[in-house]
């Protein structure tokens, strides 16, 4: 009876409710829109969204039919849904003898609760991180999830949290070291600077170290001998690769975890931070069919990223590009990348010799460490190959001396080299919190004497965007040395030139880099403190 009463009460009112021209709704209040139609439209949109969400998560609808299901749901779905809802409500009401509105209210409550739990599930999926070994086994599988006690799962949670935290904070390295007998410190290298983020008890730390060693394919029982391994972390559709090295130290075991910069292949020379003039010099050097471009700088000075940026300038469809790296940081399309592995006797020198037989146009060498590699690379650069390589040293002059000291002949060096690039990375100021610099009178006088505009110099502050450091990201400063004909003659036989270069070894003379860095300071990209920290 109740249902019939309800429908009957609706039907007589319905025509006048929906009548737009002469009906009571619009005749009483004259609004520029029909509120009833607007309400219907909003309900319609909500129902459409709900249906689309249902299809998105429904395992019954195959992926390829989902777009069609969305379109159908937008036109016919809400009507179908309303009919089903009314029919279901009527059925339940007649069965349980409960009022229609009560059942309707209950059903709506259930629907909203469902939607909320789905959303929460999706959020959890996005934030969950999974650590996998090189064969794709998860850390839980390695540990045998079911048979272990609760303590293990707590440690695995802590390990995953540690890695997720490092990824969130854009860390390039994670260092876990014993501080003393009772505590371990966890430090992150963010934008090239180490920060202590956690102190943990020795027992917990040892368990975390073991779980990382296990997922990296290392021997857990071996605590003294240095070992290395690798693992990957998957989160919300992204993958990060890590390299792990362990070593026994005085009060325990030390672990260094390095995050490979997989975005390195997306950088261009402009992204790296080079000036227009520097970019054009580099571009003309890498356009040539032969010669060697040598990148110099200490560890973590961004040499590899600049090398990838150079490779991005090269047309890799028309030129056969082969790289030899240790390790491969980033996958570069249309390139043959080879990773060296000294344990399996795959060294830089041996790999270089073999790839020379594969008719390469461009050879990229991760790092020149010995005479053999240097010689093969320089000879290749003279015989119709463009060679890009990096060497670990402070400046361009030091690189020349280093190569001569390795045993390379001055003649070979002078004829092979075409460009030297030495590089440093400066932290960029966070744009959300940088504040005008407080300069001393002395410093202002110095700037005025040199005619430098100091009005755009900023200091670091710190906010939630930059993890309270005041800096966010980095930019490169470079010093270029083009090997001109005169320089070739000097390198090949001028003893005074070589002696002068030798004098520079060990000195912190990086006046060119300082000049480049100062330009970045006065244009508000970095700070005077950062200039002092990096280039002195
Ligand atoms: Zn900030």
């Amino acid at each position: 009876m109740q249902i019939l009463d309800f429908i009957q009460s609706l039907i007589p009112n319905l025509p006048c409710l929906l009548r737009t021209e002469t009906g009571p709704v619009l005749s009483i209040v004259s609004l520029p829109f029909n509120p009833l139609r607007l309400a219907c439209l909003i309900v319609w949109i909500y129902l459409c969204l709900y249906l689309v969400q249902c299809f998105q998560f429904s395992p019954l609808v195959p992926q390829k039919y989902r777009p069609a299901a969305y379109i159908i749901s937008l036109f016919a779905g809400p009507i179908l849904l309303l009919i089903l809802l009314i029919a279901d409500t009527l059925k339940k009401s007649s069965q349980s003898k409960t009022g229609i509105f009560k059942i309707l209210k209950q059903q709506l409550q259930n629907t909203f609760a469902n939607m909320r739990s789905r959303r929460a599930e999706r959020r959890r999926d996005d934030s969950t991180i999974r650590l996998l070994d090189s064969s794709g086994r998860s850390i839980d599988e390695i540990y045998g999830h079911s048979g272990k006690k609760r303590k293990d799962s707590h440690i695995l949670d802590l390990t995953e949290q540690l890695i997720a935290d490092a990824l969130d904070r854009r860390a390039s390295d994670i260092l876990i070291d014993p501080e003393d007998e009772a505590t371990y410190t966890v430090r992150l290298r963010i934008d090239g600077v180490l920060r202590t983020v956690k102190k943990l008890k020795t027992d917990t730390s040892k368990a975390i170290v073991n779980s990382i060693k296990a997922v990296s394919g290392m021997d857990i029982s071996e605590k003294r001998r240095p070992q290395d391994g690798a693992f990957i972390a998957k989160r919300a559709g992204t993958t990060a690769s890590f390299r792990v090295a362990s070593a026994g130290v005085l009060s325990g075991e030390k672990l260094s975890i390095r995050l490979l910069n997989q975005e390195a292949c997306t950088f261009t020379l402009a992204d790296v931070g080079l000036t227009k003039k520097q970019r054009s010099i580099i571009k003309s050097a890498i356009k040539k069919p032969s010669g060697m471009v040598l990148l110099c700088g200490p560890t973590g000075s961004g040499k590899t990223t600049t090398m990838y940026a150079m490779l991005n300038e090269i047309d890799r469809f028309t030129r056969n590009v082969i790289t030899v790296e240790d390790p491969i940081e980033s996958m570069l399309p249309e390139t043959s990348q080879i990773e060296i592995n000294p344990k399996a006797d795959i060294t830089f020198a041996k790999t270089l010799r073999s790839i020379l037989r594969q008719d390469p146009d461009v050879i990229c060498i991760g790092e020149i460490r010995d005479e053999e590699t240097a010689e093969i690379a320089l000879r290749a650069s003279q015989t119709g190959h463009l060679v890009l390589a990096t060497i670990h040293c402070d400046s361009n002059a030091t690189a020349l001396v280093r190569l001569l000291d390795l045993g390379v002949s001055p003649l070979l060096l002078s004829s092979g080299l075409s460009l030297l690039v030495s590089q440093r990375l400066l932290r960029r100021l966070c744009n959300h919190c940088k504040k005008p610099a407080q300069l001393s009178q002395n410093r202002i006088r110095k700037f005025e004497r040199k005619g430098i505009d100091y009005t755009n110099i900023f200091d670091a502050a710190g906010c939630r965007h930059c993890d309270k450091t005041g800096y966010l990201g980095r930019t490169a400063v470079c010093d270029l040395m083009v090997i001109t004909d005169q320089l070739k003659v000097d390198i090949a036989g001028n003893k005074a030139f070589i002696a002068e270069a030798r004098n520079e070894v060990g000195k912190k003379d990086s006046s060119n880099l300082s000049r480049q860095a100062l330009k970045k300071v006065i244009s508000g990209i970095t700070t005077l403190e950062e200039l002092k920290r990096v280039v002195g």
Side-chain angles (χ1 to χ4, degrees):
M1 266 321 279
Q2 214 179 6
I3 307 157
L4 286 174
D5 287 346
F6 170 69
I7 294 170
Q8 270 169 5
S9 70
L10 263 182
I11 289 166
N13 285 334
L14 212 56
C16 64
L17 273 174
L18 294 174
R19 209 162 51 228
T20 53
E21 279 154 318
T22 53
V25 177
L26 277 187
S27 58
I28 298 164
V29 196
S30 107
L31 288 172
F33 57 88
N34 184 332
L36 191 68
R37 279 187 185 173
L38 191 68
C40 285
L41 188 70
I42 291 169
V43 172
W44 186 275
I45 290 170
Y46 268 95
L47 287 174
C48 286
L49 290 177
Y50 173 70
L51 267 177
V52 167
Q53 206 191 12
C54 285
F55 284 128
Q56 199 182 348
F57 295 106
S58 171
L60 297 173
V61 186
Q63 188 73 39
K64 61 177 178 178
Y65 296 125
R66 276 186 191 167
Y70 296 155
I71 292 165
I72 293 168
S73 73
L74 286 177
F75 292 101
I79 298 170
L80 195 73
L81 203 74
L82 270 175
I83 293 170
L84 285 176
L85 182 76
I86 291 168
D88 196 38
T89 312
L90 292 175
K91 196 176 147 197
K92 277 187 183 160
S93 163
S94 66
Q95 273 172 1
S96 62
K97 309 268 184 253
T98 326
I100 287 180
F101 287 110
K102 213 171 171 186
I103 290 182
L104 211 59
K105 195 178 154 195
Q106 210 173 2
Q107 279 189 324
L108 282 173
Q109 275 172 349
N110 287 346
T111 310
F112 284 123
N114 246 339
M115 280 168 85
R116 268 201 300 275
S117 77
R118 264 190 198 147
R119 215 169 291 148
E121 230 167 67
R122 210 163 105 198
R123 262 205 300 275
R124 221 173 14 250
D125 274 357
D126 285 351
S127 63
T128 311
I129 190 163
R130 285 172 64 225
L131 307 185
L132 308 169
D133 70 1
S134 52
S135 60
R137 278 191 312 159
S138 74
I139 195 165
D140 290 317
E141 284 173 66
I142 296 166
Y143 265 62
H145 205 37
S146 53
K148 289 284 159 179
K149 284 174 275 175
R150 173 112 176 75
K151 198 186 163 202
D152 270 339
S153 79
H154 162 68
I155 292 298
L156 300 189
D157 287 349
L158 269 178
T159 309
E160 286 170 348
Q161 230 175 59
L162 185 76
I163 303 296
D165 186 38
L167 286 174
D168 289 341
R169 292 173 144 190
R170 305 174 299 105
S172 59
D173 299 86
I174 308 166
L175 305 180
I176 306 172
D177 308 81
E179 190 179 73
D180 48 48
E181 294 292 317
T183 45
Y184 268 63
T185 55
V186 177
R187 289 178 294 167
L188 297 182
R189 191 183 295 281
I190 303 164
D191 290 336
V193 180
L194 270 181
R195 291 178 71 187
T196 302
V197 290
K198 231 178 229 167
K199 293 209 182 230
L200 293 168
K201 280 186 194 154
T202 298
D203 287 348
T204 315
S205 309
K206 279 183 177 169
I208 291 177
V209 166
N210 277 347
S211 64
I212 294 174
K213 279 170 76 180
V215 81
S216 309
M218 294 151 81
D219 180 3
I220 296 180
S221 57
E222 177 59 74
K223 304 218 184 277
R224 292 277 144 206
R225 196 170 49 87
Q227 295 186 74
D228 47 53
F231 70 93
I232 56 172
K234 287 198 170 190
R235 184 173 65 168
T238 59
T239 307
S241 299
F242 293 85
R243 281 297 178 111
V244 186
S246 74
V249 289
L250 190 63
S251 41
E253 195 177 8
K254 176 187 170 72
L255 209 62
S256 315
I257 306 164
R258 191 174 149 215
L259 169 62
L260 300 186
N261 183 10
Q262 283 169 314
E263 282 163 13
C265 68
T266 58
F267 278 73
T268 63
L269 288 174
D271 293 334
V272 165
L274 301 177
T275 63
K276 210 173 166 187
K277 195 179 163 196
Q278 290 175 331
R279 292 204 298 268
S280 78
I281 294 172
I282 291 176
K283 277 180 192 171
S284 71
I286 57 179
K287 256 186 203 142
K288 288 178 189 158
S290 61
M292 181 195 266
V293 177
L294 191 59
L295 284 150
C296 329
T299 310
S301 56
K303 302 186 290 279
T304 313
T305 308
T306 308
M307 196 154 80
Y308 277 117
M310 286 182 187
L311 286 176
N312 274 334
E313 295 290 335
I314 291 171
D315 181 2
R316 301 194 298 270
F317 280 108
T318 55
R319 294 170 91 178
N320 181 11
V321 180
I322 304 181
T323 73
V324 193
E325 298 167 74
D326 177 31
I328 294 173
E329 294 239 359
S330 189
M331 308 277 263
L332 209 61
E334 295 93 39
T335 310
S336 310
Q337 290 174 285
I338 301 169
E339 187 163 291
I340 69 148
N341 184 355
K343 268 190 221 159
D345 206 26
I346 304 171
T347 60
F348 273 116
K350 279 191 178 164
T351 315
L352 272 177
R353 258 200 214 100
S354 75
I355 61 171
L356 279 172
R357 292 191 286 270
Q358 293 174 14
D359 187 30
D361 296 306
V362 183
I363 304 167
C364 210
I365 303 164
E367 194 183 337
I368 292 180
R369 292 175 191 158
D370 53 72
E371 184 200 352
E372 209 182 351
T373 312
E375 279 212 12
I376 303 168
L378 281 163
R379 277 188 210 289
S381 71
Q382 284 177 290
T383 52
H385 307 94
L386 174 70
V387 179
L388 308 179
T390 78
I391 190 162
H392 185 118
C393 53
D394 284 345
S395 65
N396 294 332
T398 328
L400 292 176
V401 175
R402 175 92 201 278
L403 285 169
L404 290 172
D405 287 349
L406 278 177
V408 177
S409 80
L411 203 64
L412 183 63
L413 193 62
S414 66
S415 50
L417 277 178
S418 59
L419 177 67
L420 285 168
V421 181
S422 76
Q423 179 176 327
R424 297 286 187 284
L425 286 177
L426 296 166
R427 286 184 292 168
R428 294 178 84 101
L429 270 165
C430 166
N431 281 329
H432 296 99
C433 63
K434 65 181 183 184
K435 54 176 193 198
Q438 302 288 321
L439 299 170
S440 65
Q441 282 304 317
N442 197 11
R443 186 157 258 167
I444 290 176
R445 270 198 298 277
K446 262 189 201 169
F447 281 139
E448 278 171 348
R449 226 179 8 250
K450 290 180 186 167
I452 293 170
D453 175 16
Y454 55 85
T455 52
N456 216 11
I457 298 180
F458 288 87
D459 271 345
C463 68
R464 67 188 169 86
H465 297 281
C466 54
D467 210 3
K468 308 259 181 302
T469 57
Y471 298 97
L472 199 61
R474 286 187 285 177
T475 181
V477 279
C478 289
D479 177 21
L480 269 53
M481 186 194 256
V482 182
I483 311 296
T484 56
D485 290 343
Q486 181 55 47
L487 263 177
K488 281 184 191 290
V489 173
D490 285 343
I491 295 168
N494 188 343
K495 287 205 169 88
F497 175 82
I498 299 296
E500 200 184 316
R502 269 185 202 287
N503 271 338
E504 282 188 29
V505 177
K507 281 188 199 165
K508 213 175 178 182
D509 179 37
S510 41
S511 49
N512 260 332
L513 286 173
S514 295
R515 253 200 307 279
Q516 299 290 334
L518 189 63
K519 275 186 195 162
K520 301 230 171 193
V521 172
I522 56 179
S523 51
I525 295 171
T526 189
T527 62
L528 282 165
E529 286 71 34
E530 190 61 6
L531 178 147
K532 208 177 271 175
R533 183 182 76 85
V534 178
V535 285

